[in-house]
Amino acid sequence: MKYIVIIPAFNEAENIGHTLDGMVAQTLLPQQVLVINDGSTDATPQLIDQYHQQHPWIKRIDSDAEAKHQPGAKIVRAFYQGFNNIKQHNYDFIVKLDADLGLPPDYFERVAQLFQANPKVGIAGGVNVVQRNGEWVYEDFADKDHVKGAFKAYRKACFEAIGGLRESVGWDSVDELLARYHGWEVQTDQDLWIKHFRPRGKTTGVSRVMRKMGRAMYRMRYGWWITFLSALKAGLRNQPYGITTLAVMQGFAEAKKAGDAFIVNEAEGAFIRKYRWERMKGKLGV
């Protein structure tokens, strides 16, 4: 299968070598790797150029966006700066990849196998692990059947069906919900580990991440009760326990007060609420 990788990168001089080394070592090489230098002020651009000299299929694209790191819309805008520079669109799947990952050499070969084995799979990936106390362990921010935003692979037909990525916080959750709305499946390979060198929340803080999560839930039309139950789950899963629950609900309340625009229509929202309720009841054995 053919694929293209787009990597938004902001001040990733410390880690981008891990990601690009991983790409070069893949048993199934991509057609293109487009690295979006998203306003970096460190040596990130120079490092990308060094890889380009030896591997012309790795290309740097400079973004004219502000240098400030803003998760969500800014990441998606950077992604599309890469997408708009794709030379040929005859790929089978497209990948949004973070610039701080350690990939096993057979990563994309195995992702391709997930797509090939089941034509209904629209989004696929492995699971991310972080280093704690000298060991690599699963980063427990979400369910293991969720493909993290750090390494999203989309079948081309699925990507087109969901209308691409939403320029909003929550883009990496609503994409999977919309994929299911359109009849696609999401699949993870639990034995395919991706090392995350900069854990989620390390830059912005866990509480701020949770507030953004609450804001995203409002924009995805979760409604108050589903958001509240999701916030309770987040509060039990992430430290500081309890405070994260309040942070999620604070983000939801802020979005509602500000009148944030929804990122799904009413029909999609109704599907999302039904899907979330059924998931919750299933986990409770109801």
Side-chain angles (χ1 to χ4, degrees), residues 4-10 32-40 44-45 48-49 52 57-65 77-87:
I4 292 171
V5 177
I6 299 176
I7 308 175
F10 171 72
Q32 286 182 277
V33 173
L34 303 173
V35 188
I36 315 307
N37 171 40
D38 199 13
S40 298
T44 296
I48 299 168
D49 290 344
H52 173 72
W57 43 271
I58 297 176
K59 180 181 179 181
R60 171 167 65 92
I61 298 172
D62 290 322
S63 170
D64 56 5
R77 285 195 292 269
F79 171 87
Y80 273 107
Q81 286 196 271
F83 185 82
N84 293 333
N85 278 274
I86 293 175
K87 292 181 179 179

Side-chain angles (χ1 to χ4, degrees), residues 16 26-27 29 33-34 41 43 49 51 56 73 111 114 147 154 181 195 203 219 221 224 238-239 265:
I16 197 169
Q26 289 299 302
T27 53
L29 290 172
V33 173
L34 303 173
T41 57
D49 290 344
Y51 281 88
V111 167
L114 294 177
V147 180
Y154 304 87
Y181 175 77
K195 294 179 179 179
T203 302
R219 295 181 182 183
R221 296 181 185 264
W224 194 90
N238 302 288
Q239 295 181 1
N265 61 37

Side-chain angles (χ1 to χ4, degrees), residues 217-254:
M217 290 176 183
Y218 175 83
R219 295 181 182 183
M220 291 187 287
R221 296 181 185 264
Y222 269 33
W224 194 90
W225 278 107
I226 294 177
T227 300
F228 176 66
L229 294 174
S230 299
L232 286 177
K233 178 181 177 182
L236 294 173
R237 173 179 277 173
N238 302 288
Q239 295 181 1
Y241 302 120
I243 300 298
T244 51
T245 295
L246 295 176
V248 173
M249 296 310 300
Q250 181 183 356
F252 181 87
E254 289 172 348

